């Protein structure tokens, strides 16, 4: 089996590639700039470059593959990388490219919170992308992970970077609730979806430990051995200030207003869905 991973250079994509390679699956890693990926994977991966904006590039990149895993997504917009282009048009381009190549199997990484009517463009565009997949006549599985934790990327990397400062000035996000999932558990779910066709034509929420984003930041700081003073700005003031900053500094802020709005949601979910569909009991990413 040869599997194409879109956004293979991102944290989730690289971990998925490692898992599949360890299981003896041939992997094609696709990104806009995959130059370092070959070396990072010890020369065991084929790399191809493509831009999600162009269906013809995606079509060439996934040629001769048996399945596609889409990890492409953005949490903040920058320049032409808008939520609509990446989460909706990008998905349309993938579907078109798969049909052109006669590829049926698609595993799509979405987000916990999509499909719940939450008023952010991030969740709305994620939901719209899912809609096109459900109507595509492909053999699809949509996975909605909570916050994905892996020490080599994502929020872990961001907090490590911020921890160089002695004081962290953060929006007050203690009111919200979300779920975390280890990148290893997400990779297991993808592998089982791929090889055993579990959760075929099904949306699965991948939920682990429930906590606030504030608590998550504290856990990461503890994990990396950093004690930092935290000054919390009221969330409504933070959102207003960030919206002003977004107009002036398009895409250059370390966090955006939609991230704070999402962090304040109460995304209740149950780990039992992951256990029922994949037989996975979520691990605690903060335990050694």
């Amino acid at each position: 089996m040869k599997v194409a991973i879109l956004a293979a250079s991102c944290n989730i994509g690289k971990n998925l590639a490692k898992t599949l390679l360890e299981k003896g699956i041939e992997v094609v890693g696709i990104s806009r700039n995959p130059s370092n990926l070959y070396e990072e994977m010890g020369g065991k991966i084929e790399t191809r470059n493509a831009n999600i904006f162009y269906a013809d590039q995606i079509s060439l990149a996934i040629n001769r593959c048996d399945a596609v895993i889409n990890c492409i997504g953005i949490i903040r917009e920058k320049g032409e990388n808008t939520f609509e282009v990446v989460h909706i048009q990008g998905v349309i381009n993938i579907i078109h490219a798969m049909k052109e190549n006669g590829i049926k199997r698609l595993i799509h990484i979405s987000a916990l919170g999509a499909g719940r009517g939450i008023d952010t463009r991030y969740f709305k565009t994620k939901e719209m992308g899912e809609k096109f997949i459900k109507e595509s006549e492909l053999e699809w599985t949509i996975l909605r992970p909570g916050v994905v934790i892996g020490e080599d990327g994502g929020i872990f990397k961001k907090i490590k970077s911020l921890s160089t400062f002695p004081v962290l000035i953060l929006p007050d996000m203690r009111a919200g609730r979300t779920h975390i999932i280890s990148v290893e558990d997400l990779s297991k779910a993808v592998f089982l979806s791929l090889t055993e066709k579990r959760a075929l034509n099904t949306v699965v929420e991948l939920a682990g430990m429930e906590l606030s984003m504030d608590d998550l930041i504290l856990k990461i700081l503890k994990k990396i051995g950093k004690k930092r003073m935290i000054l919390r700005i009221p969330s409504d003031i933070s959102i207003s200030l960030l919206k002003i900053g977004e107009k002036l500094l398009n895409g250059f802020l370390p966090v955006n207003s939609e991230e704070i709005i999402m962090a304040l949601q109460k995304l209740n979910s149950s780990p039992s869905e992951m256990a029922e569909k994949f037989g996975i009991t979520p691990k605690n990413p903060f335990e050694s």
Side-chain angles (χ1 to χ4, degrees), residues 33-96:
N33 185 16
S35 56
N36 296 326
L37 191 60
Y38 183 82
E39 288 76 16
E40 289 182 46
M41 296 293 134
K44 298 177 181 178
I45 189 172
E46 180 183 350
T47 60
R48 301 175 186 173
N49 66 293
N51 189 321
I52 191 68
F53 294 174
Y54 306 107
D56 57 340
Q57 290 187 16
I58 298 296
S59 184
L60 285 171
I62 66 174
N63 184 248
R64 299 188 306 279
C65 291
D66 303 299
V68 173
I69 303 170
N70 180 33
C71 304
I72 298 173
I74 56 171
I75 197 67
R76 70 180 60 85
E77 298 173 302
K78 184 176 180 181
E80 61 183 0
N81 289 307
T82 67
F83 293 134
E84 286 78 12
V85 169
V86 175
H87 297 160
I88 301 175
Q89 188 58 52
V91 166
I92 293 171
N93 290 345
I94 292 167
I95 293 168
H96 176 80

Side-chain angles (χ1 to χ4, degrees), residues 169-174 214 217 231-235 238-239 242 255 260:
I169 302 174
L170 302 172
D172 191 340
M173 298 177 285
R174 290 175 288 186
D214 192 280
I217 291 170
L231 298 179
R232 296 178 177 87
I233 302 173
S235 57
S238 299
I239 291 168
L242 285 167
V255 67
I260 308 308

